């Protein structure tokens, strides 16, 4: 259920009403007296932001030297009420130049009343987007001398934003070259045992876009996810094409995505914001393609020596390569001397993190590299506890490779003027928490 607010009050720290707006007639005008007597004049102020007094609920929040109080007479969504307060304060700050305090309210009575009529109707929250409201409430607030200067952006036509709820994009954008950049960035999280068996593995990914498109384009993105391909084959009444499909979990979208169309057709359709934004996030738990296999062997030769051998194999395609590969092998704190032999890259002992750090600038696919190290330890009588071996950690970045197998099948751009676009797609896989027990 939405907020259904009966009234909203703005009070100073003394409890004086600066400004208020009654949206329903189910509460009396003396509600603010109850708040002042039972909450502000007691020690309970600030303990709990939700109080119930005389059949009414009070949701209050302090911003600077102002208390914002929402009064409701029935059951309401508390989280929605506080979200409304936060968004309303951000809106007021955008009009007042970044300031919201008692002086800003006193200097902008008329503007605040006008905004309160727009952002809430009969107690239900409406549009609180500053970009949209500034298109038809053009009055400027009285700014404090410390506020930022207003930007001189041209005001576009407000018709589409006001009626079509496309608040993330303005009309009238024109580019000489219409381009779309799409990046699929994935992080691999792995925990592997010393024997090579996978204990935990998942991939978290996000699709980042950068759009430089004229007008109001409509984009349609097709991925090789299982549900989307099955829905497409049903709509076209033909068997699904062979090839790898993946199952996306925990998918979240940017507000520009048409969720109704996604639920019915399982396609990602959207009118993109201008510039850079995050289109969607997802997680993969099955069928993960690990980019590297790490085979470690650590032998303790008495109390003063260690023998370390680490073999790293790249599993991705031979035409690909990884960049910035770093393998961190933990060693005891009483390490005194180390010597290395590596087939690729450079290795050294880093005493600040108690690790042997092996760096390879460029690691080709379908190859392997090894590091052998001899570690000499200082023999101490105080070190009675056995050394617990922390896991080996790995860092890397593999361009044009996805551990989930996610691929872009198509990216279509439609705009009524029919201009040509250039689409760029890039894949990047990084190490999240990539750990191997030894």
């Amino acid at each position: 259920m939405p907020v259904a607010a009966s009234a909203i009050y703005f009070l100073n720290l003394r409890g004086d009403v600066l400004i208020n707006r009654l949206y329903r007639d189910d509460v009396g005008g003396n509600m603010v007296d109850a708040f002042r007597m039972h909450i502000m004049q007691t020690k309970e102020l600030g303990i709990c932001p939700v109080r119930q007094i005389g059949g009414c609920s009070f949701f209050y929040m302090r911003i600077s030297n102002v208390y914002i109080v929402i009064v409701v007479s029935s059951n309401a969504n508390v989280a929605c009420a506080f979200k409304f307060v936060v968004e309303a304060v951000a809106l007021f700050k955008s009009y007042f130049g970044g300031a919201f305090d008692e002086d800003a309210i006193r200097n902008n009575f008329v503007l605040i009343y006008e905004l309160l009529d727009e952002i809430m109707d009969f107690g239900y929250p409406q549009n609180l987007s500053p970009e949209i409201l500034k298109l038809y409430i053009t009055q400027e607030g009285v700014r404090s001398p410390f506020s930022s200067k207003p930007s001189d952006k041209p005001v576009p036509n407000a018709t589409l934003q006001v009626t079509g709820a496309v608040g993330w994009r303005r009309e009238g954008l024109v580019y000489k070259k219409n381009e779309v950049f799409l990046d699929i960035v994935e992080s691999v999280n792995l925990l592997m045992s010393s024997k090579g068996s996978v204990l935990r593995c998942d991939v978290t990914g996000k699709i980042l876009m950068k759009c430089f498109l004229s007008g109001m384009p409509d984009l349609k993105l097709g991925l090789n996810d299982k549900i989307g391909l099955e829905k497409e084959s049903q709509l076209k009444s033909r068997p699904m094409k062979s090839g790898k499909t993946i199952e996306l979990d925990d998918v979240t979208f940017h507000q520009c995505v048409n969720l109704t169309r996604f639920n019915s057709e399982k396609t990602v359709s959207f009118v993109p914001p201008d510039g850079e934004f995050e289109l969607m996030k997802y997680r993969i738990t099955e069928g993960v393609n690990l980019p590297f296999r790490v085979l470690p062997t650590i032998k303790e030769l008495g109390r003063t020596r260690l023998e370390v051998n680490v073999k790293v194999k790249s599993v991705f395609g031979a035409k690909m390569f990884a960049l910035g590969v770093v393998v961190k092998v933990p060693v005891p704190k009483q390490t005194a001397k180390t010597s290395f032999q590596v087939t690729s890259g450079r290795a050294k002992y880093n005493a600040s993190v108690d690790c042997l750090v092996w760096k390879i600038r460029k690691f080709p696919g379908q190859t392997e590299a090894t590091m052998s190290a001899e570690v000499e330890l200082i023999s101490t009588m105080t070190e009675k506890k056995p050394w617990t071996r922390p896991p080996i950690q790995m860092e890397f970045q593999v361009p044009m490779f996805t551990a989930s197998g996610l691929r872009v099948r198509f990216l279509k751009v439609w705009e009524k003027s029919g201009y040509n676009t250039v689409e760029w797609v890039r894949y990047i896989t990084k190490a999240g928490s990539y750990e191997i027990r030894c």
Side-chain angles (χ1 to χ4, degrees), residues 21-22 24 36-37 39 49-50 103 118 138 142 155 186 219 223-224 279 284 302 317 319 326 358 372-373 408 412-413:
R21 181 72 168 84
L22 297 176
R24 293 167 174 254
R36 196 183 293 120
M37 182 182 303
I39 299 178
V50 180
D103 292 335
E118 291 294 338
T138 57
V142 178
V155 179
E186 294 187 342
L219 274 66
L223 305 170
N224 63 330
L279 178 65
I284 302 291
K319 294 183 179 180
V326 180
W358 180 20
S372 300
V408 175
K412 299 178 181 178
V413 181

Side-chain angles (χ1 to χ4, degrees), residues 87-384:
E87 295 290 337
V89 171
L91 173 66
F92 295 147
K93 286 183 177 180
S94 69
Y95 272 94
F96 306 157
F100 181 80
D101 50 23
E102 183 177 351
D103 292 335
I105 293 176
R106 292 185 183 277
N107 293 333
N108 295 277
F109 274 129
V110 177
L111 178 58
I112 292 177
Y113 272 119
E114 189 174 358
L115 289 173
L116 289 176
D117 287 338
E118 291 294 338
I119 63 179
M120 186 168 277
D121 184 21
F122 197 59
Y124 294 99
Q126 304 298 311
N127 199 335
L128 288 99
S129 172
E131 291 77 12
I132 292 179
L133 289 170
K134 285 184 178 182
L135 297 178
Y136 56 97
I137 299 182
T138 57
Q139 177 183 347
E140 291 189 4
V142 178
R143 298 172 179 266
S144 68
F146 304 104
S147 63
S148 58
K149 294 182 179 180
S151 58
D152 297 328
K153 292 184 178 179
V155 179
N157 185 2
T159 305
L160 181 61
Q161 283 91 339
V162 174
T163 60
V166 187
W168 52 87
R169 185 181 182 88
R170 61 185 179 90
E171 274 192 321
L173 293 172
V174 178
Y175 289 99
K176 292 182 179 179
K177 187 177 182 180
N178 295 283
E179 294 181 295
V180 180
F181 299 87
L182 187 147
D183 288 347
I184 295 182
V185 181
E186 294 187 342
S187 296
V188 186
N189 304 305
L190 170 72
L191 179 60
M192 183 178 290
S193 70
S194 57
K195 296 181 180 179
S197 59
V198 177
L199 303 177
R200 185 186 71 245
C201 184
D202 68 87
V203 174
T204 56
K206 54 187 177 181
I207 298 181
L208 306 176
M209 296 195 70
K210 189 181 291 185
C211 295
F212 303 105
L213 299 172
S214 305
M216 277 287 177
D218 190 4
L219 274 66
K220 187 175 181 181
L221 175 65
L223 305 170
N224 63 330
D225 62 299
K226 185 177 180 181
I227 298 177
L229 288 172
E230 288 177 350
K231 190 68 177 180
E232 182 180 324
S233 63
Q234 290 176 5
L235 294 174
K236 295 184 178 180
S237 300
R238 65 186 184 189
M240 191 172 64
K241 294 181 179 180
S242 60
K244 182 177 180 180
T245 59
I246 62 173
E247 295 187 16
L248 300 176
D249 300 323
D250 304 333
V251 180
T252 57
F253 292 107
H254 187 274
Q255 63 172 340
C256 67
V257 175
N258 189 331
L259 295 180
T260 303
R261 195 168 179 181
F262 178 78
N263 291 330
S264 60
E265 302 179 13
K266 300 302 177 184
T267 58
V268 184
S269 303
F270 56 99
V271 177
D274 186 44
E276 190 172 353
F277 66 100
E278 184 180 278
L279 178 65
M280 61 181 283
K281 293 190 292 187
Y282 60 90
R283 190 166 67 93
I284 302 291
T285 56
E286 296 180 359
V288 177
N289 301 316
L290 296 177
F292 288 98
R293 290 278 182 183
V294 182
L295 304 173
T297 304
I298 298 180
K299 295 180 181 180
E300 297 185 33
L301 307 176
R303 298 184 59 185
T304 59
R305 285 185 61 206
L306 284 180
E307 193 176 87
V308 179
N309 290 286
V310 180
K311 180 184 289 186
V312 180
K313 295 182 178 180
S314 56
V315 188
F316 46 88
K319 294 183 179 180
M320 301 179 185
F321 55 86
L323 299 174
V325 178
V326 180
V327 181
K328 297 180 180 179
V329 183
V331 292
K333 291 184 177 180
Q334 64 270 26
T335 298
K337 185 179 179 182
T338 58
S339 59
F340 299 94
Q341 287 183 350
V342 294
T343 59
S344 180
R346 293 182 178 182
K348 68 176 183 178
Y349 168 61
N350 190 334
S352 62
V353 293
D354 297 320
C355 285
L356 307 179
V357 181
W358 180 20
K359 295 183 179 181
I360 303 175
R361 188 176 60 87
K362 189 173 182 180
F363 202 124
Q366 297 297 316
T367 59
E368 65 179 44
T370 58
M371 178 192 71
S372 300
E374 290 187 0
V375 181
E376 295 184 11
L377 308 176
I378 300 174
S379 180
T380 59
M381 299 300 294
T382 58
E383 194 68 28
K384 296 181 179 180

Side-chain angles (χ1 to χ4, degrees), residues 374-436:
E374 290 187 0
V375 181
E376 295 184 11
L377 308 176
I378 300 174
S379 180
T380 59
M381 299 300 294
T382 58
E383 194 68 28
K384 296 181 179 180
K385 294 182 180 179
W387 175 49
T388 57
R389 300 181 180 181
I392 295 175
Q393 295 181 336
M394 194 171 180
E395 301 173 5
F396 55 81
Q397 180 172 311
V398 187
M400 302 313 294
F401 172 82
T402 55
S404 66
L406 186 66
R407 285 288 182 268
V408 175
R409 295 190 296 118
F410 60 82
L411 178 60
K412 299 178 181 178
V413 181
W414 180 87
E415 213 275 336
K416 59 184 179 181
S417 61
Y419 54 71
N420 295 322
T421 60
V422 179
E423 297 90 17
W424 304 89
V425 179
R426 183 173 60 170
Y427 305 93
I428 302 173
T429 294
K430 300 179 180 179
S433 175
Y434 209 88
E435 299 181 342
I436 301 93

